[in-house]
Amino acid sequence: MTTPTPEPQTTAEPAFFAPALDFAFEIRASLAPSVHIGHGAGEATEYIPITGGTVEGPRLRGTVLAGGGDWCDRRGEVYQLDARYLLQADDGAVIDITNRGYYHEDDPAAPAQYDGDLQVSEAGVYYRTAPVFRTDVPAHLWLARTVFVGLARGDDSEVAIRFYAVS
């Protein structure tokens, strides 16, 4: 009787992992004209009131409530964004969003990006946000337990931000 020879042990290389981004929804926020606050030499602070808007997507639908705003600090050509506003979901739940990010038009490595046929960023423009949501409504707690990345685009009267959940 022969004893089976054990298979040799191999050490497998760990598989490379890259997080995925899953489209959750898009916010289109209407903006009032900015209010210049001022600051020091080489810096400027402005406040941009948010007057309303829409929330559309596969994971959330609703409206942007009037009354929030974006405090924008400009240092040279880089804008540091700090927006705070409220969303109201179609079921009536109110959701608080703090949305921070950066905008600048001097990034030669930033390509034009598309989500299907929709252009979500222009070549050379870096406009990204990192939102944090708060709510106590059970149906929307997933927002407060998920990391998101926002790709933004817009003009003086509206900003559109597509939010992607990091998985």
Side-chain angles (χ1 to χ4, degrees), residues 21-25 115 120 147-151 162-166:
L21 299 178
D22 299 312
F23 174 61
F25 54 91
D115 189 348
V120 295
V147 172
F148 292 88
V149 173
L151 274 68
R162 290 180 74 82
F163 291 99
Y164 297 86
V166 177

Side-chain angles (χ1 to χ4, degrees), residues 52-127:
T54 60
V55 181
E56 300 286 335
R59 307 247 353 239
L60 185 65
R61 300 178 75 76
T63 59
V64 177
L65 299 178
D70 186 0
W71 284 259
C72 176
D73 291 320
R74 181 177 49 83
R75 292 176 191 90
E77 298 302 314
V78 177
Y79 295 80
Q80 182 176 348
L81 313 169
D82 187 4
R84 182 97 187 245
Y85 48 104
L86 297 173
L87 310 176
Q88 186 166 33
D90 279 352
D91 64 5
V94 175
I95 301 160
D96 176 56
I97 176 174
T98 300
N99 199 15
R100 295 189 171 109
Y102 291 94
Y103 172 87
H104 53 89
E105 297 178 348
D106 59 352
D107 189 348
Q113 294 177 312
Y114 293 83
D115 189 348
D117 291 335
L118 177 65
Q119 185 173 356
V120 295
S121 66
E122 296 179 41
V125 176
Y126 185 91
Y127 196 178

